[in-house]
Structures are given as structure tokens and as C-alpha cells.
Amino acid sequence: MVGSNGTVAAGTAMLAASMPMAADRARLQQAVGETNKLLLLEGTVDVDDVGAAAFAVEEPPVDEEAAAERQAEVARLLAGFRRHLQDRTDHHLGYPYNLDLDFSVLAQFQSFCINNLGDPFIESNYGVHSRPLEVAVLDWFARLWDLHKDNYWGYITNCGTEGNLHGLLVGRELFPDGIIYASTESHYSVFKAARMYRVKCVKVDALVSGEMNCADFKSKLLQNPGSPAIVNVNIG
Amino acid sequence: MVGSNGTVAAGTAMLAASMPMAADRARLQQAVGETNKLLLLEGTVDVDDVGAAAFAVEEPPVDEEAAAERQAEVARLLAGFRRHLQDRTDHHLGYPYNLDLDFSVLAQFQSFCINNLGDPFIESNYGVHSRPLEVAVLDWFARLWDLHKDNYWGYITNCGTEGNLHGLLVGRELFPDGIIYASTESHYSVFKAARMYRVKCVKVDALVSGEMNCADFKSKLLQNPGSPAIVNVNIG
Ligand SMILES: Cc1ncc(COP(=O)(O)O)c(C=O)c1O
Ligand SMILES: Cc1ncc(COP(=O)(O)O)c(C=O)c1O
């Protein structure tokens, strides 16, 4: 398996942090040359054998003028992309997203490598984190939902999918033989999670309103009297 | 299950996007009041029963002067947090991260709700995305690793953990009865993935160098001659 990050982690990676890209590449090629094989999901590629049919390699320019020109090019590209996004946003009819946002006050944090790895309520061994802010957001939702202080746990997920994945995993860990019940109107990540976690999943019919069909839910529950139910509830 | 995002998605959420927070809260309380129950992982909380022992609710000020004061407060808080992060970064001995980064040119995108949901090689039904840039990053790595054009697939993960999760999931889908082999030096997310995916995982000894102990690997493979091997490889 070649992970997004697992590939250049471990042993020599601490050195790599301060190396320029070209040196990184040379080091990588050397490392690859040593084994002469690059393991890939689709099989094994012989390193001597490729190159010709592969992408052309374009190294970043080394002289300052060319670097400045390249920077200007990137700026132009990003400005164009920004206009494109503005246009797409202006023509956006709607979705469960708030598009009227502006996090520009957070721009000053773009130069830090912030990582809130792990449980936000436990002290981290990695110093560059924003755990106090993460917990503050959790507190905000706890207030919103009238949850008792010290009577909840959570963390901020990268996305909605991860929230669903985590909730369903907690359900499965509590009920290892449980069955997931989710209405057909549920987000696709719920059914993906069931497959990932190897949990049987029963789809429950929905009414035209989008609501779960409780009669169908009851009859499907009664078909599995011996198995705990892990129920995915959509609110809103 | 209450997901981070699943809670206020679906039906009425398109309306919510343009509502101020206080109205959201009122609407939420009304919705909750209708069922009078809020499902939680730890059980069921009766809504009439809480409040007293819960957090005090602090609504944002409505008059402009107070709002400006609050904005200044947030700016002070963030400036302090920035100094803290700079200090933590300055005293950081190392990790497989490059801390010498500056993405400030991307600040202009902080006001967009960009979502590259799904496969970057397939056209999205959501317009505000950066798929061309995502694919460009993949191309960059394809060049770096001398991969043939049109002969690879991938996507940008949110983090290293997700990269490991995805790689191992592909392995399990290819070999449903496979066993994961990973050295004791592997990142903890690999063992977490094995548990999530309900796949048997065999830990292989590592040498003092961090390298996998191949003799131990061989003997452990020979103990499971009937099962395909899904091997986690650490490079670097
Ligand atoms: C090999 C490997 N996998 C996974 C991770 C976890 O990365 P993240 O915290 O971004 O999920 C790391 C972090 O350094 C890593 O080195
Ligand atoms: C209920 C629900 N779950 C999950 C998601 C997926 O969110 P993301 O694309 O951030 O993973 C959405 C997206 O709108 C959603 O509405």
C-alpha cells in the first residue's frame, strides 16, 4: 500500500523537511534505485522500464527572474480561479451549506502546520495545535443542544462523511452484531460506512416528505428480533 | 446517531443558510420541541429536563458597537494564538512535516465553500470545486514517481490517516479474506484501520533500523498459507 503520506514518512523524513524539492526527488530516486522496484496497487513497475511513456518532468526554475515570473504566473492562475469560483458561487441555487462565509481573518494561520491529531480533550504530544479552539466549538454546540457540561465528548471532523463514519463506528463498537437501519433518504456515506465496517445495513422506506416511513421501519425491525439496532437518524 | 453535519442537513437546511444564528437556534428548539426528545449516543435526554445544569447561553450582541467590540476581541484572541503557534513552531525539533510553509496566497479562497466531493476524475454535480488543481497535484506526484499517464488513479486526502484508510480498504476489497501484515513501526492508523474494516492484522517485528524483519515476515506469512496477504509497506 502506498499512502498519501506514508510513502515518505518514517526514518529519513525528519531530514527531508528542510531539503529543497529537487534534492528530495534525487533522494527518492536513489531510494527507489536501491530496491529497483516501486510497489503499486496495480502490480510492480520496473523503474528502468518507464520514463519514455511517462510524464515529462518539469523542474522549477532556479534563477530568481524565472522564479519571479513563475510566481506571477501562479498569481494570475489563482486570480482566474478565484473569478471562476465567484461565478460558480453566484450561480449556486442552494445546498445544506452556508455560502455566505468569510474566513479571511484566519489567513494569518496559513503559514503554520496545525494538527489537532487525536482526542481534543487529551493533551497532545504535538505542539502546533488549536485544541482549545476545537473544544470551544464543541462547547458552542453543546450549548446549542442544551447538553450538560462534562457530559459529552466529540471532536471536529474534516467533513460530514467523517462525522457519519465516526458515529456509525461508535454504534458498531457498542453493538458488534448490530444492524444499521437508515432511510433511503440518508446520505450515501451512511451506506458506504456500512460496507467499510462490514455491518449489515437495512434500507428503510421514506415518505414523500423525506421522513422515515415508521411502519416500514417497524416491520423491518421485527424481521431481526435477535439483533441490536444501530439507527441512523436524519434531523432537519 | 448524530453526525457533525447530518444533524441540520436535509429538508429545511436550504432555508437555514441565510438565517442568523439566533433564529437557527429558535428553529432548532422548535424542531426539538416537536419530538421532545434529542437522541444522543449515551441515551435519551428529555429536553424539558435540562437547561439549569447546562451551559449558559451567550448570544452574539446585536448592536453595531458591541459587534465591533466583539470583532476586536476576536482579532486580539487570534493575534495571541498566532504568537503562541509561532512560539511552538520555533521550538519544534522535527517530525515528518515541512514546517517552512506559507500558503498566504490562498487566503483569497477563504470566503468560498470549496468541496471536491467524490472522484476528481469524474465531473461533479457541485460547482464550487477545485478538481483541476486536485488532478494537477496528482499529476505532479505521478511525474515524481514515473507513473505512466492515464495509468493511475488517486485523490487528495484530508490527512495521512485517510490515505492509509483508503489504501487498506482497496486491499480488503480486492482480497476480502486477506490478512493485513504491518511492521510494529507502522503508524497507528494502520492498526486502527484493521479494526475498523474487520480484517485480521498480523504485526511483523522490526529491526533496530526501523526496517521490517523479513525473517519474521516470512515465518508469519507461512503460518497463513491459505489467506491472501495485504501488506502495509513503509517507505523512507
Ligand atoms: C505514515 C503515516 N501515516 C499517517 C499519518 C497520520 O497523518 P494525519 O495526522 O495527517 O492523519 C502520519 C503522520 O505523520 C504518518 O507518518
Ligand atoms: C447528512 C450529510 N452527511 C454527510 C455529508 C457529506 O459531507 P462531506 O462532503 O463534507 O463529507 C453531507 C453533505 O451535505 C450531508 O448532508
Side-chain angles (χ1 to χ4, degrees), chain A residues 97-154:
Chain A
Y97 286 144
N98 182 354
L99 295 186
D100 185 19
L101 52 92
D102 183 1
F103 291 119
S104 55
V105 288
L106 299 181
Q108 57 187 306
F109 299 105
Q110 298 267 29
S111 55
F112 294 106
C113 190
I114 301 171
N115 192 339
N116 287 10
L117 58 155
D119 187 334
F121 293 97
I122 290 176
E123 181 139 16
S124 183
N125 60 357
Y126 179 76
V128 188
H129 66 79
S130 65
R131 276 168 148 73
L133 299 179
E134 184 173 3
V135 172
V137 172
L138 296 171
D139 284 352
W140 191 90
F141 278 98
R143 278 190 206 103
L144 185 70
W145 293 329
D146 282 334
L147 302 183
H148 291 237
K149 209 170 177 165
D150 302 319
N151 201 14
Y152 75 92
W153 179 88

Side-chain angles (χ1 to χ4, degrees), chain A residues 7 21 25 55-56 82 97 108 110 115 126 140 143-144 172-173 176 195-196 198 232 235, chain B residues 1 7 21 25 55-56 82 92 97 108 110 115 126 140 143-144 172-173 176 195-196 198 235:
Chain A
T7 42
M21 204 183 71
R25 184 173 159 77
F55 285 98
R82 189 204 171 122
Y97 286 144
Q108 57 187 306
Q110 298 267 29
N115 192 339
Y126 179 76
W140 191 90
R143 278 190 206 103
L144 185 70
R172 193 203 67 182
E173 294 295 288
R195 179 172 180 137
M196 283 168 75
R198 292 188 155 165
N232 177 73
I235 307 179
Chain B
M1 193 206 65
T7 40
M21 206 182 71
R25 185 174 158 78
F55 286 97
R82 188 202 173 123
H92 197 285
Y97 285 143
Q108 57 187 306
Q110 299 267 29
N115 192 338
Y126 179 76
W140 191 90
R143 280 191 206 103
L144 185 71
R172 192 203 67 181
E173 293 294 289
R195 179 172 181 138
M196 283 168 75
R198 293 188 155 165
I235 307 180

